[in-house]
Amino acid sequence: MDYPHSTCWTVIRGAAERSDSALREFGRRYAAVLAAYFVARWHCPRDDERVQDAVQETFLEMLRQGGGLERFDPERPGGFRPFLYGVARNIAWRAEEQARTRKARHAASSIDFDRLPSEEESLALHFDRAWARAMLREARELLESRATAGDARLREQLELLKLHFEEGLKIRAIAALKGLDEKAMYRAMDRARQTFREALVEVVGFHHPGAPREAEAEVKRLLAALE
Amino acid sequence: MTEDLGPKQAGAPDPSATGEYGGSLDKGLRLAFGSSGSRWGELRAEQNSAAPSSFAEDAPERYAIEGELARGGMGIVYRGVDRALGREVALKVLIGERAPRPDVLERFVEEAQVAAQLHHPGIIPVYEFTRARSGAPVLVMEFVKGETLAAKLQDRGTATRERTELLRIFERVCEAMAYAHARGVVHRDLKPSNVLLGEHGTVLVVDWGLAKVLPRASEAPPAAAKSEPRDGSIHTLRTDGPGSASLAGSVLGTPAYMSPEQARGRVDLVDARADVFALGAMLCEILTGAPPYVGTTGEDLLLQARDGDTRAASARIARSGVAPELIALASAALSRDREQRPADAEALSEALRRQREAMEERRREAEVARVRAETQAEQDRRARRLVVGLVAVLALISSAALAVRERYRREVARRAEELRSAGRRALSEVASLRGEALARSGEDAWMRCAARARDAVSLLAAPEADAELHAEAQKELLSAEEQRLAAQALALRLQREQSLLLDLERIRSHFADHSSFASFERLLGEALGRAGFDANAEDTASLAGRIRGTSIALPLRELLECWALGVDRSVAPTLPEERERLLALLRELDPDAAREAIRSACASADPAALRALLAAPEALRADTHLLALVCDVAYHRAARELQQRAIALLEEAVAAAPGDFWLQATLAHALSFEGDAARPRSEAAFQAAVALRPSLVVAWSWWAVAGNMWRDLALQERALVRALEIDPTAAAARNNFAVLEIGRGRFAEAEVHLRLLVAQHPEHLKGWYNLGVVCARLSRPTEALEHYDRVLAQAPDMSDALVEKGVVLLALGRAAEAEPCLEKGARSMPRDPYGRIQLGKLRMRQGRLAEAIQTFDAALKLAPDHPELLLQKGIALHDLQRYRQARPLFERLVANDPQHVQGWHNLGMACAELGDVAKAELAYRRTLELDPRVPWSAHNLGRLLQVRGDRSGAEELFRREIAQHPDRWESWLELGNLGTSSQRHDVAVVWIERGLAVHPRQKSLLENHASALRMLGSVEEAIERLEALLQQGIDDPILRLNLAYAYRTAGAEEASFQHLSALLEREPKRPEAVMGVAIELFERARFEETAELLRNAARDKVPNAEAARLGLERHAALFRALEAGERVESSDLAEIDHIGLARMLIVRGHARAALDWLQPLLEGPANRRPGSARLTAACAALRLAEEAVENDAESAAASRAKAFSWLSEDLEALRCWREDDSLATLGQVRGALVRWRKERLLAGVRDAPAATLAEDAETAAAAWHALFRDARELEQELRKEVEERLAVAREETR
């Protein structure tokens, strides 16, 4: 994954063209988001085979000849997220319809499709949250890959973020640990947060080609979805 | 988990400088960093958003739900945050939690109970078992961040990867299961997805939802087992209740890991060996990458599991390439025959440990041997290569390829130089890494060093490389490997020591809170065992030697010191072996004789020694730990002046060492006994203590005790809640919470706490005692007795248990058994009147009122104004009818406590007995104001009003009594009496019937019912009911009398006479019997016998007997005169007696004389019905007609005509009488009609006397029939009316 030299469209196009590595990358990025959406929609465990089937169905729908990816217009407003959501929602509707028909003929399914939430809006929010988490994860991975590549300053900042947000250490405690002044540690932490935010904007921009301002707005929207 | 980046500080940059969405970004950062690299974390994050809002809203208020973690067949696990403590928790609820199936609920409760009682680092700790807002049960557990073993297995790719680490995890699972098996618990659903791997290397067995508690082989049948739980055993609703056996034939668990017996539903065969099979299946998956059974469907797997054929799995394991011992172990665990498997997880764990240690040893040896062999081999190889090289060179020379040779030489030299240079670099790096490793002493650092050294050895193994450098690299490798192994061993030891340190601190807190030696020794043994020290098996000196050099030596010594102060050799010179060993260990760890002397002095609480110690505390000041212990003993077990000295010393020590937790806690605890004045000092010390060690339960538990001392219930509850949050197994805190609930009257809640307490601490006698109290309060006396007996078996002199047992025995009516208990209990509590109160009550119950009063008097000397004593003594005096003495006691009682309901009630009763109706009424009214539900108050007040003539007021009060106490038949009876006295016999009948519905065999009700029926005119029904009572064996005087009256009303004088005679025989002095028999005898003209009976009765002082004798003698004289045909004046005779004499004359054949005698009564108006004068006259006339028919037909016809006329008039009189519509009349008219039939027989005429009516036979017969038909019709009308009236009355009184 090398963000500066790639956008998501290269991955998407690669996937559409059946490139093995692109397909793997495509699946790695979006499977979790899709699964989260189906889990939320159907109130079922993640390992439910219907969820797995629906994720696979969504990929098939995107990748088949003349499918979603081929039809997708990169200039489409909002980027790839709403497009993927639309495909997933159609797959969900299809699965629900099939299940209802099956239920009418045979025994009940373990997912009670008659009790499904009717509010698409809240489900869209589930999708957006899952998407936001995926973006956050990618931002972290981006920073980690750069730190591993030898950026000492970045390694330092990542360590601070981990100590605070992962280990739960207070700023004061981190300052004591590093033998630094507390105020200096606040400043360092703020810089680390700034770096992470920039990485996040970069990752979102990767999925959201367009003016940087649009990516900023998208970041803001995604973070608001987490509230 | 993380803080906000504020507070903003001067000079510090603004933390929100990262943009306008700083807060959101932080949340994002937590998400990005909070779930790194963890499948579970990822899943959790993704499923957060999927958390059904319903449970988030329904969750207990204390917890905020953050998302769903996992979902199983039975329940859903949510992640939440404990708002009070700010910690993350996992909450498990049932699927469909609002209305779970009873069996599912039972299993869930059992899971909570089992998990809560298993305390092991490998078993997920349970914090709380509580309820959601909807009432659904919720199990709150520790939240573990990490992944499942299943996920880890899935992620590893090939079966050989990470095998060592997985085997180590597996060993930890076995250890946890060994602990559970030792406590008789079988998991029954062991599988990789039920093993959680925490972030810090913790391994936890979760989901005890299918766990089963095994009965022990040594246990007696279930009933006995219930009363005798074993030490350390697990108790659940199912193990203690009737449903302990799982349903035979049911299959629970996961087929891929299921033992054959479990898969076949052979619940009876499922024991620890079923878990061993599951462990074997997990081991199989670890070794081979798949569990023993592999199939596509659940059914397929279940079929395989039932078959139990694990040969294929064993073959796979055999090919896995692991050590033969491990292959054999896994195959044994998977044996189809459970007898062939290791006995339990302990056996498995032990075998694994041995196997691992052997393997490590082998690996260590192999590594060293390998390095040595490589060194040797390399040297050999170099020698060989040198020879080959020479031959080659010679060959080259011989072929005169000098140019080539030169070129080759240069190449070799260049290569050698390169290798030398690279080798030096590598060795330099190794040296650098070695320096780093030496500085950090970590296993990882040595591993990196060894890896680099290995690289250097490989690099320098080339023939061109420098041999010296190569040897140096090998040396470095050998050294690094050895250091790595040493560092590994050290890390393991330190980890164990660290864990043991925490355990020791917890054990001490536990012991200080709940001084249970058994529990202490068990917990210590387990903790030492986990750290690799076996206190029972290892020689004490060698054990102490091993411990002495470690970081646990001092804490262990202090802990043993704390424990040893309770071991008093002067009381028990011979101690159990384990205890002796621990004392010996303490002496080994601390051989100082002076300290040993101090310990002995404290253990025996020798006042002189303690005084000496406190007087010269220099020796103690140097050791704050010992100082705290000595002061604690001095304060709690010595005289007052030593207590003050102890507090002073503690305060001095705290001032010098404010950071010492035990000093602060001991001081706070001691000060809490010093009254409210010392409260601020005590609280300051408690605050300091809990700030020092917030997670040690003892300070909170002691603080709760202090809250009790200060009567601060809110503080008490807060402290107890905190204590139990920290340690749900804290015994004293749990017991005190139960006592708090008992004090509030919340017995069911108290029982929950106590059940948990005694399950966790079967040796906790106070817990069992309090459980007995709760059972008694919840009306389960038999169960209460079992608990008290258990306590008394251990502590035969525990006064509270003795007294409470006596109270329960008394309640069960076993007064003879209760008395010795109460006597002994009362003696054992010389300063507490409670035992004597109960003893007095027992004596009252037995009717030994004088003795009871003596007992109460003795207790009143201890507590002159004790309300219960005043009340009970007053009641005893009242029962002795000493109302004048009882009344002042009740007056004192209500003066002391104007809210004392029972005092007012009993005062009312005493006043009523003393005739002070106004005061009695006042007292009853006060009682009812205070508590309208007090039994009998409304009833008694109703009776007062009844006597005063306030019928409506009385009726209202009786109804009120019944409304509060629907089984109060006495009030129904009184209502019946009200009905009778107001001539409402219909209402009386109905009210009494309502009473009979409550108490169908109550004699008074039955008799009054019959009496009311008789009064209402249903005389036949009354006789029927009374005879039925007699048939049931209820034979009492009132019943006989009522029956006699009923028969008499029905005209059956003979039956009446028989009953009266029978009654007289039983009770010769009963006035009703005497009079009744006298009248019957008199009516049969047996005057002498009558006179004799009444004379004897008069002599026996039967009231009115003499007057009756005189009256009847006069009547007898009259009768004799009338019989003799004399003219007699009868003006002062009662009408009934007048008619009675006439009837006697008719019976004895003097019809004419009877008619003459009745003449004055027949002269009144026709519609007046003076008794039955006309009826009796008609009888006499008919007799005369019968007598005259042969000789004087005309006279006979005239007599008949007269008789018919009188009968018509009488019937008419009856009709008129009936029309006045009073119920009294109704009953009397019915009685009169009965007599009509009777008089017809009296007249000797059974039917129309056709033979004597030759002339106008037809007319006469018609008139005769018409008369009696009219009478029958009237009777039927009356009967119908009675029924209608009863129906109306039933409706009215409903």
Side-chain angles (χ1 to χ4, degrees):
Chain A
M1 186 165 61
D2 190 9
Y3 285 89
H5 309 294
S6 168
T7 68
C8 75
W9 312 121
T10 56
V11 175
I12 292 167
R13 285 196 194 100
E17 287 157 14
R18 309 293 188 274
S19 147
D20 277 354
S21 61
L23 276 174
R24 265 200 304 280
E25 182 63 18
F26 186 79
R28 194 187 74 80
R29 283 187 183 178
Y30 305 117
V33 176
L34 290 168
Y37 168 70
F38 293 121
V39 163
R41 187 177 181 97
W42 293 334
H43 289 282
C44 63
R46 189 175 189 254
D47 58 1
D48 191 292
E49 62 180 22
R50 287 162 185 81
V51 171
Q52 306 301 333
D53 288 351
V55 172
Q56 295 298 324
E57 273 292 308
T58 312
F59 286 144
L60 288 176
E61 173 61 30
M62 303 276 275
L63 298 171
R64 70 183 167 78
Q65 291 286 342
L69 284 186
E70 284 183 17
R71 294 198 311 275
F72 179 64
D73 175 10
E75 299 304 316
R76 183 191 169 105
F80 186 59
R81 178 178 50 75
F83 173 73
L84 183 64
Y85 172 67
V87 177
R89 189 186 51 194
N90 287 340
I91 294 295
W93 283 344
R94 200 190 302 159
E96 286 157 19
E97 189 52 44
Q98 283 170 356
R100 279 193 199 94
T101 318
R102 205 165 41 241
K103 193 174 161 188
R105 286 201 305 267
H106 305 296
S109 130
S110 64
I111 299 169
D112 188 353
F113 287 101
D114 291 336
R115 289 176 55 238
L116 289 174
S118 55
E119 293 178 15
E120 286 295 342
E121 196 179 326
S122 69
L123 289 168
L125 188 62
H126 280 302
F127 184 88
D128 288 354
R129 281 183 186 155
W131 182 272
R133 275 192 294 275
M135 295 301 104
L136 287 161
R137 200 163 45 234
E138 287 194 19
R140 176 187 169 151
E141 285 169 7
L142 173 64
L143 289 181
E144 281 173 346
S145 67
R146 285 175 181 165
T148 313
D151 188 335
R153 187 187 63 88
L154 203 51
R155 206 161 42 230
E156 193 72 23
Q157 287 186 335
L158 262 178
E159 192 185 350
L160 283 187
L161 291 174
K162 278 183 192 171
L163 286 172
H164 185 62
F165 292 103
E166 187 174 309
E167 303 291 324
L169 287 185
K170 293 177 188 268
I171 307 280
R172 196 177 303 123
I174 301 173
L177 195 71
K178 296 270 173 190
L180 282 177
D181 172 49
E182 195 177 327
K183 287 176 192 167
M185 183 50 66
Y186 269 103
R187 281 194 292 275
M189 181 61 79
D190 194 52
R191 282 194 295 275
R193 292 168 78 245
Q194 178 69 22
T195 303
F196 182 83
R197 191 184 67 82
E198 285 164 8
L200 184 60
V201 172
E202 197 177 332
V203 169
V204 170
F206 169 78
H207 289 88
H208 199 99
R213 195 186 294 168
E214 284 176 34
E216 286 273 3
E218 174 76 353
V219 166
K220 199 169 161 187
R221 229 184 60 75
L222 290 177
L223 289 177
L226 293 173
E227 290 295 317
Chain B
M1 192 171 125
T2 57
E3 63 177 349
D4 286 337
L5 285 174
K8 293 172 188 171
Q9 299 184 4
D14 181 356
S16 64
T18 39
E20 57 199 293
Y21 41 85
S24 308
L25 180 65
D26 281 354
K27 184 161 185 186
L29 278 159
R30 279 188 201 102
L31 282 168
F33 287 89
S35 58
S36 72
S38 149
R39 285 174 60 94
W40 210 32
E42 188 177 293
L43 176 62
R44 201 168 57 232
E46 280 157 8
Q47 292 194 337
N48 272 347
S49 55
S53 60
S54 61
F55 184 66
E57 287 157 14
D58 188 36
E61 254 176 58
R62 181 177 171 153
Y63 302 102
I65 301 306
E66 296 205 327
E68 187 176 313
L69 285 175
R71 210 173 254 261
M74 194 166 92
I76 307 175
V77 183
Y78 294 98
R79 185 175 64 141
V81 172
D82 181 339
R83 291 188 170 109
L85 299 176
R87 66 179 171 193
E88 287 186 296
V89 293
L91 297 99
K92 183 169 182 179
V93 293
L94 292 174
I95 288 174
E97 69 276 11
R98 284 179 201 285
R101 289 202 330 257
D103 57 327
V104 173
L105 182 62
E106 188 179 302
R107 189 161 285 138
F108 189 48
V109 172
E110 179 152 14
E111 176 185 2
Q113 289 176 327
V114 167
Q117 292 172 51
L118 293 173
H119 308 291
H120 188 274
I123 293 169
I124 195 153
V126 167
Y127 291 150
E128 191 184 9
F129 189 55
T130 181
R131 288 192 175 278
R133 289 171 218 206
S134 65
V138 180
L139 179 61
V140 186
M141 298 171 285
E142 182 180 306
F143 171 71
V144 181
K145 213 172 183 180
E147 62 178 339
T148 64
L149 177 57
K152 193 170 180 66
L153 286 169
Q154 202 179 349
D155 282 354
R156 67 176 166 162
T158 61
T160 49
R161 279 183 61 191
E162 302 175 26
R163 196 182 265 169
T164 310
E165 188 193 346
L166 287 166
L167 284 171
R168 198 165 294 164
I169 291 168
F170 180 70
E171 197 180 333
R172 303 277 288 279
V173 174
C174 289
E175 284 169 9
M177 284 318 300
Y179 169 83
H181 287 171
R183 269 146 197 79
V185 176
V186 189
H187 188 287
R188 297 202 292 182
D189 195 17
L190 277 174
K191 54 184 173 181
S193 59
N194 278 341
V195 175
L196 273 188
L197 308 177
E199 281 191 328
H200 306 294
T202 48
V203 177
L204 292 157
V205 178
V206 299
D207 196 354
W208 295 80
L210 296 185
K212 176 186 169 188
V213 182
L214 294 174
R216 299 252 164 135
S218 58
E219 278 183 50
K226 198 177 171 187
S227 61
E228 296 290 338
R230 56 209 180 262
D231 271 2
S233 60
I234 302 296
H235 290 264
T236 68
L237 287 177
R238 281 199 289 154
T239 49
D240 290 345
S244 63
S246 296
L247 191 63
S250 60
V251 177
L252 302 167
T254 308
Y257 303 90
M258 205 184 274
S259 66
E261 62 270 22
Q262 198 173 344
R264 290 178 202 137
R266 292 294 308 272
V267 176
D268 53 325
L269 297 180
V270 171
D271 58 13
R273 287 169 290 188
D275 279 351
V276 168
F277 185 94
L279 288 167
M282 284 163 69
L283 183 56
C284 173
E285 187 165 358
I286 287 169
L287 297 178
T288 70
Y293 310 125
V294 184
T296 49
T297 64
E299 289 79 6
D300 182 23
L301 283 174
L302 190 60
L303 281 175
Q304 289 186 52
R306 280 184 180 151
D307 185 37
D309 185 355
T310 54
R311 279 174 300 183
S314 294
R316 263 194 284 138
I317 293 167
R319 290 195 302 271
S320 65
V322 293
E325 295 94 327
L326 195 55
I327 293 171
L329 187 65
S331 300
L334 287 175
S335 296
R336 183 190 290 182
D337 177 2
R338 61 189 193 133
E339 300 293 336
Q340 301 299 317
R341 295 176 213 148
D344 56 17
E346 171 66 35
L348 197 56
S349 166
E350 185 57 29
L352 269 174
R353 192 180 58 76
R354 279 199 307 274
Q355 194 275 334
R356 178 175 52 77
E357 284 173 0
M359 203 165 68
E360 279 172 4
E361 186 56 36
R362 277 204 301 274
R363 194 181 298 153
R364 220 170 6 251
E365 286 167 3
E367 186 68 18
V368 173
R370 184 179 65 76
V371 173
R372 284 198 180 118
E374 277 178 6
T375 310
Q376 187 59 47
E378 192 51 35
Q379 283 168 355
D380 294 349
R381 208 160 42 242
R382 286 176 68 80
R384 276 200 304 277
R385 281 175 187 159
L386 193 60
V387 172
V388 172
L390 283 171
V391 171
V393 170
L394 286 174
L396 283 169
I397 291 169
S398 67
S399 63
L402 288 174
V404 176
R405 186 191 64 179
E406 182 54 24
R407 193 168 148 201
Y408 178 75
R409 192 189 60 76
R410 277 204 304 275
E411 183 63 25
V412 167
R414 190 190 59 76
R415 171 84 180 128
E417 188 51 41
E418 270 179 15
L419 281 174
R420 191 175 299 110
S421 170
R424 281 198 183 118
R425 264 202 316 280
L427 282 172
S428 160
E429 277 179 40
V430 169
S432 160
L433 286 170
R434 188 179 62 236
E436 202 178 307
L438 282 169
R440 291 171 60 179
S441 309
E443 186 191 353
D444 291 350
W446 284 114
M447 201 183 287
R448 279 197 295 277
C449 182
R452 196 69 193 96
R454 195 171 287 111
D455 291 345
V457 168
S458 306
L459 181 74
L460 296 167
E464 303 87 351
D466 186 324
E468 278 181 21
L469 280 179
H470 185 251
E472 195 181 334
Q474 282 175 328
K475 202 171 137 199
E476 286 285 359
L477 174 59
L478 199 58
S479 160
E481 276 298 331
E482 281 170 356
Q483 291 286 359
R484 185 183 66 77
L485 291 170
Q488 188 185 38
L490 179 68
L492 194 64
R493 186 166 68 83
L494 287 177
Q495 192 184 346
R496 283 179 173 176
E497 280 179 20
Q498 198 58 36
S499 168
L500 181 57
L501 276 177
L502 288 175
D503 282 347
L504 295 182
E505 195 168 50
R506 277 196 206 107
I507 293 169
R508 181 162 175 196
S509 168
H510 180 78
F511 184 64
D513 174 52
H514 164 48
S515 308
S516 163
F517 284 83
S519 158
F520 174 91
E521 285 149 19
R522 177 171 53 79
L523 290 173
L524 181 61
E526 286 171 2
L528 287 172
R530 279 198 295 277
F533 302 110
D534 190 343
N536 289 326
E538 197 170 342
D539 171 59
T540 310
S542 110
L543 182 64
R546 282 213 292 141
I547 290 172
R548 211 172 283 123
T550 67
S551 58
I552 62 158
L554 182 64
L556 179 62
R557 193 201 83 193
E558 290 183 350
L559 176 66
L560 287 171
E561 209 155 48
C562 170
W563 160 83
L565 295 196
V567 183
D568 184 0
R569 281 193 175 283
S570 62
V571 176
T574 313
L575 299 174
E577 193 187 343
E578 295 80 6
R579 206 160 285 177
E580 284 289 6
R581 289 179 67 82
L582 285 182
L583 280 175
L585 180 59
L586 173 58
R587 279 194 295 274
E588 287 284 347
L589 289 172
D590 181 22
D592 187 321
R595 294 170 60 84
E596 176 62 20
I598 294 174
R599 285 196 289 265
S600 299
C602 288
S604 60
D606 175 9
L610 285 172
R611 191 171 291 111
L613 274 173
L614 295 182
E618 289 70 27
L620 294 174
R621 282 203 182 99
D623 185 344
T624 55
H625 172 257
L626 202 54
L627 174 78
L629 290 182
V630 171
C631 289
D632 191 47
V633 171
Y635 188 84
H636 294 286
R637 293 169 66 185
R640 182 69 191 149
E641 92 268 7
L642 288 187
Q643 290 182 333
Q644 292 304 323
R645 180 73 189 132
I647 285 185
L649 272 177
L650 281 171
E651 288 192 316
E652 193 186 306
V654 161
D660 189 312
F661 169 79
W662 286 104
L663 276 179
Q664 292 277 18
T666 310
L667 173 64
H669 189 41
L671 282 171
S672 70
F673 291 89
E674 291 293 306
D676 288 349
R679 179 171 177 174
R681 282 149 68 209
S682 176
E683 290 218 287
F686 273 127
Q687 275 160 1
V690 299
L692 286 166
R693 286 280 195 288
S695 61
L696 281 192
V697 74
V698 64
W700 292 104
S701 185
W702 283 350
W703 206 347
V705 173
N708 186 33
M709 299 276 179
W710 301 325
R711 297 166 302 286
D712 186 341
L713 289 184
L715 167 66
Q716 200 182 344
E717 181 166 4
R718 268 200 315 277
L720 289 172
V721 166
R722 189 71 189 89
L724 290 173
E725 278 168 3
I726 294 166
D727 181 4
T729 67
R734 182 73 66 191
N735 185 50
N736 287 340
F737 214 138
V739 172
L740 185 69
E741 297 287 35
I742 292 173
R744 290 163 165 172
R746 294 165 47 159
F747 301 116
E749 287 82 354
E751 186 179 3
V752 173
H753 284 293
L754 291 167
R755 292 249 173 238
L756 204 54
L757 170 64
V758 296
Q760 290 165 344
H761 307 280
E763 76 286 353
H764 200 289
L765 290 186
K766 283 203 168 172
W768 286 109
Y769 163 74
N770 284 326
L771 190 56
V773 171
V774 165
C775 289
R777 299 289 187 283
L778 291 171
S779 305
R780 305 205 306 263
T782 315
E783 213 177 315
L785 273 186
E786 278 177 21
H787 301 320
Y788 293 141
D789 282 339
R790 168 191 289 274
V791 174
L792 290 170
Q794 299 289 319
D797 293 325
M798 187 168 165
S799 54
D800 290 338
L802 282 165
V803 172
E804 292 298 347
K805 182 183 173 186
V807 170
V808 172
L809 285 169
L810 190 58
L812 286 171
R814 292 156 62 180
E817 294 168 70
E819 188 161 8
C821 282
L822 290 174
E823 279 177 345
K824 191 174 172 189
R827 275 200 304 277
S828 306
M829 44 173 75
R831 284 187 292 177
D832 187 345
Y834 181 67
R836 287 185 175 76
I837 293 173
Q838 301 305 331
L839 184 60
K841 280 184 176 175
L842 174 136
R843 288 174 173 160
M844 280 174 70
R845 181 83 71 89
Q846 290 177 324
R848 293 150 62 191
L849 297 174
E851 283 177 69
I853 290 169
Q854 277 178 359
T855 310
F856 293 138
D857 280 338
L860 277 167
K861 284 180 191 154
L862 299 172
D865 276 325
H866 194 291
E868 185 69 6
L869 277 173
L870 290 173
L871 180 71
Q872 293 302 332
K873 186 182 170 188
I875 292 172
L877 287 167
H878 187 281
D879 289 353
L880 280 173
Q881 300 184 350
R882 287 154 64 181
Y883 308 119
R884 280 188 202 294
Q885 290 163 282
R887 179 174 168 165
L889 291 174
F890 297 135
E891 283 173 340
R892 196 160 113 210
L893 179 55
V894 297
N896 289 343
D897 179 7
Q899 309 291 314
H900 201 294
V901 178
Q902 283 299 322
W904 284 109
H905 175 73
N906 282 286
L907 180 60
M909 292 212 296
C911 290
E913 294 292 353
L914 289 168
D916 188 347
V917 177
K919 187 70 188 278
E921 192 176 329
L922 182 83
Y924 283 137
R925 288 201 187 280
R926 182 84 184 106
T927 311
L928 291 170
E929 274 168 27
L930 289 170
D931 185 357
R933 295 164 304 168
V934 175
W936 296 109
S937 269
H939 180 89
N940 289 354
L941 184 56
R943 290 195 63 174
L944 283 184
L945 297 188
Q946 194 179 5
V947 171
R948 217 176 59 188
D950 180 356
R951 287 170 195 269
S952 63
E955 182 179 331
E956 193 261 324
L957 283 162
F958 291 135
R959 283 172 176 274
R960 198 161 143 186
E961 178 79 20
I962 289 163
Q964 292 294 342
H965 309 283
D967 56 346
R968 179 78 73 236
W969 61 266
E970 291 89 343
S971 294
W972 287 115
L973 184 69
E974 291 300 338
L975 280 171
N977 289 342
L978 274 180
T980 305
S981 62
S982 58
Q983 302 292 321
R984 290 290 311 273
H985 303 302
D986 51 349
V987 173
V989 166
V990 173
W991 270 330
I992 296 171
E993 280 174 353
R994 300 281 291 275
L996 284 167
V998 176
H999 197 334
R1001 287 173 59 85
Q1002 212 294 319
K1003 193 164 59 61
S1004 300
L1005 285 170
L1006 290 165
E1007 287 167 358
N1008 283 20
H1009 189 227
S1011 175
L1013 280 171
R1014 180 168 59 83
M1015 304 286 267
L1016 194 60
S1018 294
V1019 66
E1020 295 88 348
E1021 198 179 341
I1023 289 171
E1024 193 182 316
R1025 282 171 188 264
L1026 291 166
E1027 283 288 7
L1029 284 178
L1030 211 55
Q1031 292 294 321
Q1032 289 167 21
I1034 299 172
D1035 184 5
D1036 86 325
I1038 304 292
L1039 184 128
R1040 287 270 180 191
L1041 270 180
N1042 265 319
L1043 199 51
Y1045 293 159
Y1047 273 122
R1048 193 169 171 78
T1049 308
E1053 276 89 356
E1054 199 51 46
S1056 176
F1057 186 39
Q1058 278 173 11
H1059 284 295
L1060 287 170
S1061 302
L1063 179 58
L1064 187 68
E1065 201 169 318
R1066 274 175 56 187
E1067 296 193 39
K1069 293 181 191 175
R1070 188 167 191 103
E1072 298 93 334
V1074 172
M1075 298 305 169
V1077 171
I1079 288 167
E1080 292 292 344
L1081 286 172
F1082 182 83
E1083 285 188 351
R1084 285 161 180 74
R1086 289 154 68 176
F1087 302 132
E1088 289 308 318
E1089 289 172 64
T1090 310
E1092 179 68 16
L1093 172 68
L1094 289 172
R1095 201 173 294 115
N1096 290 340
R1099 197 174 53 241
D1100 290 341
K1101 299 191 183 338
V1102 173
N1104 301 325
E1106 186 58 17
R1109 186 182 66 78
L1110 292 173
L1112 287 181
E1113 271 186 5
R1114 185 177 161 228
H1115 288 185
L1118 273 175
F1119 179 77
R1120 286 197 192 97
L1122 288 168
E1123 202 176 25
E1126 293 171 19
R1127 187 164 183 80
V1128 176
E1129 288 295 329
S1130 62
S1131 58
D1132 63 338
L1133 211 58
E1135 195 173 274
I1136 187 98
D1137 295 338
H1138 201 132
I1139 295 167
L1141 284 175
R1143 293 178 69 234
M1144 285 171 66
L1145 287 169
I1146 297 169
V1147 169
R1148 296 181 69 83
H1150 305 294
R1152 170 59 57 199
L1155 261 182
D1156 292 347
W1157 172 242
L1158 285 170
Q1159 201 54 46
L1161 297 183
L1162 298 171
E1163 285 166 2
N1167 62 352
R1168 175 174 169 267
R1169 191 176 185 281
S1172 51
R1174 283 172 205 281
L1175 187 61
T1176 311
C1179 286
L1182 284 171
R1183 275 291 178 102
L1184 282 177
E1186 288 292 320
E1187 285 166 13
V1189 74
E1190 294 293 332
N1191 309 322
D1192 186 356
E1194 194 175 336
S1195 171
S1199 286
R1200 277 198 305 274
K1202 200 68 190 164
F1204 279 18
S1205 155
W1206 279 326
L1207 283 172
S1208 295
E1209 281 177 25
D1210 190 60
L1211 200 57
E1212 190 54 35
L1214 273 178
R1215 282 190 201 284
C1216 294
W1217 199 20
R1218 180 220 155 178
E1219 278 166 12
D1220 76 3
D1221 203 26
S1222 97
L1223 272 172
T1225 319
L1226 189 69
Q1228 285 168 345
V1229 173
R1230 271 281 282 138
L1233 283 167
V1234 170
R1235 285 205 80 75
W1236 246 69
R1237 287 206 303 272
K1238 164 76 180 145
E1239 296 298 355
R1240 195 174 68 170
L1241 293 174
L1242 180 72
V1245 182
R1246 293 183 184 278
D1247 204 346
T1252 63
L1253 301 172
E1255 293 172 11
D1256 54 350
E1258 205 171 321
T1259 313
W1264 177 260
H1265 285 297
L1267 261 176
F1268 282 94
R1269 190 189 61 236
D1270 288 353
R1272 268 200 308 280
E1273 276 175 6
L1274 180 58
E1275 197 174 346
Q1276 278 165 3
E1277 278 173 31
L1278 288 172
R1279 207 185 263 269
K1280 197 174 166 196
E1281 189 172 345
V1282 167
E1283 280 166 12
E1284 281 170 4
R1285 290 230 180 206
L1286 280 175
V1288 171
R1290 283 194 178 101
E1291 195 57 40
E1292 280 173 4
T1293 56
R1294 189 174 299 279

